[in-house]
Amino acid sequence: MPNLSSAQAASIETRNAANLKAASNGATLMAVYYHPVILVGSTSNETANHDPAIVTWLQQNSITVTPRHGTIKIKKGQLTNPGSLTFGGGLTSPPAEVKTWLANITKKKLLG
């Protein structure tokens, strides 16, 4: 497991949350999993708006030989429904770490 600094972890969480919030209902965002970290990007770039130095660090220090590339489809919530995030591609059955990272920043149901 990479030893993320608290600043790196906070940066990733902040950017993941911002990218999820900025997405429109029904949007499918690109994402990449570097064990044990997930980066949620934009509809066209899996590392959109993430600090390039952190991305490079993850690429060099991840214990996963090959990162898992996938998608996250967003269903926005309504008054009594928090909405959902549905995983696709290489993240169809996301590892527990992915759900842990995202559960910290969203109340949406995590489907996949």
Side-chain angles (χ1 to χ4, degrees):
M1 170 200 279
N3 292 318
L4 290 172
S5 70
S6 58
Q8 288 172 315
S11 174
I12 292 168
E13 282 193 354
T14 298
R15 180 45 42 206
N16 282 347
N19 286 347
L20 287 169
K21 185 173 181 157
S24 60
N25 187 37
T28 299
L29 302 179
M30 297 176 74
V32 60
Y33 171 71
Y34 293 102
H35 182 76
V37 178
I38 184 145
L39 300 179
V40 178
S42 68
T43 57
S44 61
N45 182 337
E46 65 192 15
T47 60
N49 304 313
H50 284 278
D51 181 339
I54 292 174
V55 173
T56 299
W57 188 88
L58 286 170
Q59 290 168 339
Q60 294 172 348
N61 292 285
S62 175
I63 62 172
T64 301
V65 176
T66 304
R68 290 174 63 178
H69 303 271
T71 60
I72 299 175
K73 184 172 183 175
I74 298 175
K75 181 177 179 186
K76 297 282 185 171
Q78 298 173 343
L79 291 176
T80 59
N81 178 352
S84 63
L85 300 177
T86 304
F87 299 93
L91 296 172
T92 299
S93 297
E97 294 95 349
V98 168
K99 291 183 176 183
T100 299
W101 274 87
L102 295 177
N104 289 332
I105 60 170
T106 185
K107 294 180 181 176
K108 294 184 181 337
K109 293 178 187 176
L110 305 176
L111 308 174

